[in-house]
């Protein structure tokens, strides 16, 4: 047995191992480049592509050889393949000898057709009733807080947490905007709303009432 055959036989074992590890939708082909017209010497899970042992090199494989990418890369990963209406995610490992001469290729084709179908169905389900153009518009987000305190903290985040501010560093207009936003969300209509805001902002309740009165006068 030649040195090349010894090397290729080792990769044949690896190919069989991969095909059994990852299931029947994963096809593995060992190519022996000493005979391009019958290079596919062993094909595991061949029902993915329908090819048989001894199949010729694919056009893509020939292009890889023509490009000589194997001189700078050990493998190429995750390119798209199509066969018999199936969509494949394919990868190729270049098999070389100790002198870096190319002997063969180990190709892995994953049939992702059913996953793409599932992905589309899940996407359709997730966005059912939502128009595509609406997804491109600024979103109107519905909050689901667990408590008044959480609701207040969420409402304050865009003014305080997001910008790294604290109440004491805001100017009067910014403070009024905070109170206006909370009032618009109905925070002050909730039982304990005033006291929760007072605690979160670390200011007195009379101060909140004062700002709230200013906001209401501005809106009237």
């Amino acid at each position: 047995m030649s040195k090349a055959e010894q090397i290729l036989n080792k990769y044949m074992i690896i190919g069989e191992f991969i095909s059994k590890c990852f299931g029947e939708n994963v096809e593995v082909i060992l190519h022996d480049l000493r005979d391009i017209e019958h290079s596919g010497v062993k094909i595991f899970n061949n029902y993915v592509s329908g090819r048989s042992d001894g199949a010729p090199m694919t056009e893509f494989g020939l292009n890889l050889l023509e490009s000589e990418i194997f001189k700078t890369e050990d493998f190429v990963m995750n390119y798209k393949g199509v066969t018999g209406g199936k969509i494949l995610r394919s990868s190729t490992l270049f098999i070389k000898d100790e002198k870096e001469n190319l002997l063969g290729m180990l190709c892995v084709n994953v049939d992702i057709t059913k996953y793409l179908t599932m992905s589309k169905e899940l996407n359709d389900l997730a966005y059912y009733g939502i128009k595509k153009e609406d997804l491109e518009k600024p979103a109107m987000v519905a909050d689901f807080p667990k408590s008044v305190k959480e609701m207040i903290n969420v409402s304050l985040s865009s003014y305080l947490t997001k910008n790294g501010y604290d109440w004491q560093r805001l100017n009067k207009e910014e403070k009024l905007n905070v109170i206006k936003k909370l009032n618009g969300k109905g925070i002050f209509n909730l039982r304990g709303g005033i006291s929760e805001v007072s605690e979160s902002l670390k200011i007195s309740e009379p101060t909140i009432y004062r700002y709230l009165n200013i906001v209401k006068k501005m809106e009237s």
Side-chain angles (χ1 to χ4, degrees):
M1 184 182 294
S2 68
K3 185 67 174 179
E5 288 174 332
Q6 291 177 17
I7 295 174
L8 291 170
N9 281 343
K10 290 181 179 179
Y11 280 95
M12 186 176 297
I13 296 173
I14 294 173
E16 183 178 9
F17 172 73
I18 293 172
S19 70
K20 290 184 176 180
C21 275
F22 298 104
E24 61 182 18
N25 69 315
V26 177
E27 177 186 69
V28 184
I29 306 102
L30 176 66
H31 286 282
D32 182 345
L33 299 180
R34 294 175 298 176
D35 183 0
I36 296 295
E37 293 185 2
H38 305 91
S39 65
V41 291
K42 189 61 182 177
I43 304 178
F44 302 98
N45 294 341
N46 65 328
Y47 28 79
V48 171
S49 67
R51 291 178 292 173
S52 301
D53 293 351
M57 176 67 63
T58 63
E59 182 179 352
F60 182 83
L62 292 174
N63 289 337
L64 289 179
L65 297 178
E66 182 69 23
S67 70
E68 297 189 334
I69 190 174
F70 56 85
K71 291 185 176 181
T72 56
E73 304 292 339
D74 292 322
F75 49 78
V76 290
M77 296 287 294
N78 298 327
Y79 52 88
K80 180 181 178 181
V82 179
T83 179
K86 299 176 182 177
I87 299 176
L88 311 177
R89 176 166 55 82
S90 303
S91 300
T92 296
L93 173 69
F94 300 117
I95 302 173
K96 306 173 186 178
D97 64 16
E98 66 278 2
K99 295 182 180 180
E100 292 297 301
N101 296 313
L102 187 64
L103 301 178
M105 297 189 295
L106 190 66
C107 301
V108 179
N109 299 318
V110 183
D111 182 2
I112 60 172
T113 310
K114 63 181 179 181
Y115 303 131
L116 292 174
T117 301
M118 290 168 60
S119 175
K120 181 181 183 304
E121 291 177 353
L122 287 172
N123 189 70
D124 291 344
L125 180 62
Y127 292 102
Y128 180 77
I130 300 177
K131 297 179 181 178
K132 182 178 180 181
E133 54 268 25
D134 291 339
L135 295 175
E136 300 171 355
K137 297 178 182 178
M140 182 174 66
V141 180
D143 296 327
F144 298 93
K146 298 180 178 64
S147 65
V148 174
K149 184 184 291 294
E150 184 177 331
M151 183 184 296
I152 292 169
N153 288 334
V154 170
S155 299
L156 288 172
S157 63
S158 61
Y159 287 90
L160 305 178
T161 308
K162 179 180 178 181
N163 298 308
Y165 293 155
D166 59 50
W167 176 264
Q168 301 302 325
R169 292 177 58 187
L170 298 180
N171 59 40
K172 183 176 181 180
E173 182 179 355
E174 290 171 330
K175 290 179 179 180
L176 288 173
N177 283 336
V178 171
I179 298 299
K180 181 178 180 180
K181 181 174 182 178
L182 295 176
N183 187 53
K185 285 181 170 288
I187 297 295
F188 299 113
N189 295 326
L190 299 173
R191 178 184 298 179
I194 293 289
S195 62
E196 290 287 1
V197 173
S198 173
E199 181 181 343
S200 295
L201 296 178
K202 295 180 174 57
I203 57 175
S204 67
E205 292 186 19
T207 300
I208 293 177
Y209 279 113
R210 180 163 57 86
Y211 277 104
L212 189 56
N213 286 331
I214 294 174
V215 167
K216 289 180 177 179
K217 288 180 180 179
M218 292 171 58
E219 294 177 342
S220 62

